[in-house]
Amino acid sequence: MTSTADAPRPPGRPRSVRADEAIIEATLDLLAEGSTIEAISVEAIAARAGVGKATIYRRWAGKDALLHDALRTLKGEPPQPSGRSVREDLVALVGAVGQNIDPRAAKIMPCLVPNVKRNAEHYALYQSIVEPRRAVMREVLRRGIRDGELRPDIDVEVTLALITGPLLIQRMLNWNPDLDETTLPARVVDQVLAGIQAR
Amino acid sequence: MTSTADAPRPPGRPRSVRADEAIIEATLDLLAEGSTIEAISVEAIAARAGVGKATIYRRWAGKDALLHDALRTLKGEPPQPSGRSVREDLVALVGAVGQNIDPRAAKIMPCLVPNVKRNAEHYALYQSIVEPRRAVMREVLRRGIRDGELRPDIDVEVTLALITGPLLIQRMLNWNPDLDETTLPARVVDQVLAGIQAR
DNA sequence: TAGATACGAAACGGTTCCGTATCGATAATG
DNA sequence: CATTATCGATACGGAACCGTTTCGTATCTA
């Protein structure tokens, strides 16, 4: 990828890899602390990264491009289910909702909410992160149907939202202050499995 | 309240009620269009309301106070269930999630997400809107348990999140582009009622 | 060593915003 | 009519920020 074989090193001082990383890290840090995307200033990023503003503008066309690249690094790989049981897999998957490899992701996510529905590019970025995770969970449900653990007539897409929604609103908004976030995944999955209707 | 009995009208030109309303309306309009709270400027509000900035600062101490008052007007009364059946009531309640009397509410809600977990005052305001609606839904569930429509051992608080979460993430984020928002309430409620486990 | 490029720091012009102040005009009371 | 407070409009000082440019310095290749 970064080999010099097909790209004969250009003359002059090469760009500092440390600066690249420091800029991205500083951006994510500030996003995790700050309130919204617009509130982050390039000057603050440069200061936090120990970098001149020119170094940033040498790499990115502007604030938007930098933010887009920074957010892309949060992607990460979706978790892989163990496959022992549908319940166990779902509890693990739903427990990971809104918690990527990077612990800052949970704090950054709310900052993006206002933009997701207004900016097509942000929405595409958001979906590119969420869809693979939905796909993993979808496959667990399909496996459960095949194996007879789940009823064959369930609405898979609705079930995805049913399992993900509660964790998302609780982690993003602390929607119900009386709900304990640590035990919530298991309780949600068990309730979805069992249903609430009298039989 | 606004009678002149115990408050002898002070001298001078009285404040324009039209200006009051125009300012609040302009604030909500801009919030519904704009992206985040910070992005709204007092000057834009004044221009939209056809009002001088001084007229705003004569009424509110600053932008925060104005925004707080404007958001409070979105509160409205929580919907009342018909009481015919648990299913019918839940479908109606969950259909109203994120949709207050004011149609702008659905667009404004995402703007507040970043602040809710960081600002205690915003969180209190948010809860003061959400809690009454949760209470109505909670009462429907308790009634269902009493009447034998629902199992007595269900986790009521989890069920609230289970029913609300999917609608909230779908309306706020369009979380799953393949889910139809109009049919979602009924599908969510039916799935929660039935459960997904094979029996 | 010479040339080229990147570096951090600093400054610049232009824009936006906040909160205050000041207009002449307006609308109420006494 | 005199008084008083508000009206919309406009300007101001101060601050923050963007994106660009210019420093002198550092680091690479040829």
Side-chain angles (χ1 to χ4, degrees):
Chain A
M1 253 330 179
T2 55
S3 80
T4 57
D6 53 350
R9 158 86 61 83
R13 177 176 174 175
R15 291 201 177 160
S16 159
V17 181
R18 286 196 49 184
D20 281 85
E21 294 167 355
I23 293 168
I24 296 288
E25 284 302 299
T27 305
L28 295 177
D29 278 352
L30 287 174
L31 269 178
E33 298 168 8
S35 50
T36 64
I37 287 188
E38 292 93 340
I40 306 296
S41 74
V42 176
E43 305 193 84
I45 293 172
R48 169 73 69 105
V51 152
K53 273 169 63 177
T55 303
I56 292 181
Y57 282 102
R58 205 173 285 120
R59 289 163 164 76
W60 289 277
K63 185 158 79 159
D64 288 349
L66 167 56
L67 286 175
H68 190 266
D69 268 18
L71 292 175
R72 272 201 308 133
T73 69
L74 282 184
K75 233 173 164 176
E77 284 300 307
Q80 284 304 315
S82 75
R84 270 194 286 275
S85 75
V86 168
R87 180 187 181 276
E88 186 178 319
D89 285 352
L90 289 182
V91 170
L93 288 175
V94 75
V97 163
Q99 294 182 332
N100 291 33
I101 300 172
D102 197 315
R104 290 167 299 193
K107 293 188 174 180
I108 293 177
M109 200 177 21
C111 304
L112 313 180
V113 173
N115 304 75
V116 164
K117 283 196 79 166
R118 291 179 220 271
N119 184 319
E121 198 178 348
H122 282 181
Y123 183 69
L125 174 59
Y126 175 67
Q127 287 297 323
S128 78
I129 296 177
V130 168
E131 222 300 310
R133 288 159 171 78
R134 257 197 320 256
V136 171
M137 201 179 295
R138 195 181 285 121
E139 194 43 49
V140 169
L141 292 178
R142 294 229 176 94
R143 197 193 72 212
I145 295 175
R146 279 200 309 272
D147 299 353
E149 287 191 73
L150 304 180
R151 288 209 314 276
D153 64 327
I154 68 172
D155 190 327
V156 173
E157 296 304 314
V158 165
T159 305
L160 295 177
L162 221 49
I163 293 177
T164 308
L167 264 291
L168 221 43
I169 66 172
Q170 197 61 23
R171 296 219 163 113
M172 272 198 318
L173 294 165
N174 196 22
W175 178 73
N176 185 343
D178 294 335
L179 274 178
D180 176 25
E181 219 176 87
T182 63
T183 65
L184 192 56
R187 292 162 76 192
V188 162
V189 170
D190 286 336
Q191 189 100 331
V192 169
L193 283 171
I196 64 175
Q197 203 159 28
R199 314 175 201 166
Chain B
M1 243 353 164
T2 55
S3 80
T4 56
D6 53 350
R9 157 87 62 83
R13 178 173 175 176
R15 296 209 174 150
S16 159
V17 181
R18 286 195 52 184
D20 280 87
E21 294 168 354
I23 292 168
I24 296 289
E25 284 302 300
T27 305
L28 295 177
D29 278 351
L30 286 174
L31 270 177
E33 298 168 7
S35 52
T36 64
I37 287 187
E38 291 93 340
I40 306 296
S41 74
V42 176
E43 306 194 81
I45 294 172
R48 169 72 69 104
V51 152
K53 271 170 64 176
T55 303
I56 292 180
Y57 281 102
R58 206 173 285 121
R59 289 162 164 76
W60 290 277
K63 184 159 77 159
D64 288 349
L66 167 56
L67 286 174
H68 190 267
D69 269 18
L71 293 175
R72 272 201 307 132
T73 68
L74 283 183
K75 234 173 162 175
E77 284 300 307
Q80 284 305 315
S82 74
R84 271 194 286 276
S85 75
V86 168
R87 179 186 182 279
E88 185 177 322
D89 285 352
L90 289 182
V91 170
L93 289 176
V94 76
V97 163
Q99 295 182 331
N100 291 31
I101 300 171
D102 197 316
R104 290 167 298 192
K107 294 188 174 182
I108 293 177
M109 200 176 23
C111 304
L112 314 179
V113 173
N115 304 75
V116 164
K117 284 197 75 164
R118 291 180 222 271
N119 185 320
E121 199 177 347
H122 281 181
Y123 184 69
L125 175 58
Y126 175 66
Q127 287 297 322
S128 78
I129 296 177
V130 169
E131 222 299 311
R133 289 161 170 77
R134 256 196 321 256
V136 171
M137 202 181 295
R138 194 181 286 121
E139 194 43 49
V140 170
L141 292 177
R142 294 230 175 93
R143 196 192 72 213
I145 295 175
R146 278 201 309 274
D147 299 352
E149 287 191 73
L150 304 180
R151 288 210 314 277
D153 64 327
I154 68 171
D155 190 327
V156 173
E157 295 305 314
V158 165
T159 305
L160 296 178
L162 221 49
I163 293 177
T164 309
L167 264 292
L168 221 42
I169 66 172
Q170 197 61 23
R171 296 221 162 113
M172 271 198 319
L173 295 164
N174 195 23
W175 178 74
N176 186 343
D178 295 334
L179 274 177
D180 175 23
E181 221 174 87
T182 62
T183 64
L184 192 56
R187 292 163 75 192
V188 162
V189 170
D190 286 336
Q191 189 100 330
V192 169
L193 283 170
I196 64 175
Q197 202 159 27
R199 316 175 202 171

